[in-house]
Amino acid sequence: MDYQGRRFRPVVNSPHGQVSAGTLFQYRQAGDLLTGEYAGGGIRHGQLLGLVSAEGTLEFCYHHVTNEGEFRSGVCSSTPEILPDGRLRLHERWGWTFGGEEEGESVVEEVLE
């Protein structure tokens, strides 16, 4: 699974999540190393760092600053699904490590725009 240059938007998020359909994630991959940035919706700027398994699952840490100046960080595990049109959908389980204690689930889908 190659995430290099792929972009994603949330389509489902738990109530304690801070991203929305206005948030755009941009991923980069070098070998099994995943990096990325995200912004939009209520997020001023965010970054993620993680690993890609041989099966394409993701394990990463993330942190961001909201539009209100709040700092949050967390961890996430993502499982990919290939949609009929070839785009990726990621099923995510996440939890806050700073700025909250809640856990949740999200779904993000690849955008081709």
Side-chain angles (χ1 to χ4, degrees):
M1 187 76 57
D2 186 9
Y3 292 94
Q4 174 60 33
R6 294 186 188 247
R7 300 179 306 154
F8 297 88
R9 285 200 189 276
V11 294
V12 175
N13 199 10
S14 295
H16 299 294
Q18 290 191 315
V19 299
S20 67
T23 308
L24 180 65
F25 291 83
Q26 299 184 45
Y27 286 7
R28 292 179 298 282
Q29 183 178 344
D32 66 346
L33 182 66
L34 179 77
T35 61
E37 294 188 359
Y38 56 102
I43 308 299
R44 186 177 353 170
H45 183 79
Q47 298 174 319
L48 59 90
L49 175 65
L51 295 172
V52 181
S53 75
E55 297 79 29
T57 61
L58 305 175
E59 297 286 335
F60 60 86
C61 301
Y62 58 90
H63 59 257
H64 62 249
V65 175
T66 68
N67 291 339
E68 292 77 30
E70 179 183 36
F71 177 75
R72 302 288 294 268
S73 65
V75 292
C76 183
S77 298
S78 296
T79 303
E81 171 190 0
I82 300 174
L83 297 172
D85 63 6
R87 294 179 304 125
L88 290 180
R89 175 184 290 153
L90 300 176
H91 299 269
E92 303 183 325
R93 295 189 54 82
W94 52 265
W96 295 114
T97 57
F98 182 84
E101 297 179 6
E102 301 87 4
E103 296 180 346
E105 296 182 5
S106 301
V107 175
V108 298
E109 289 185 359
E110 185 175 8
V111 294
L112 303 175
E113 56 189 41

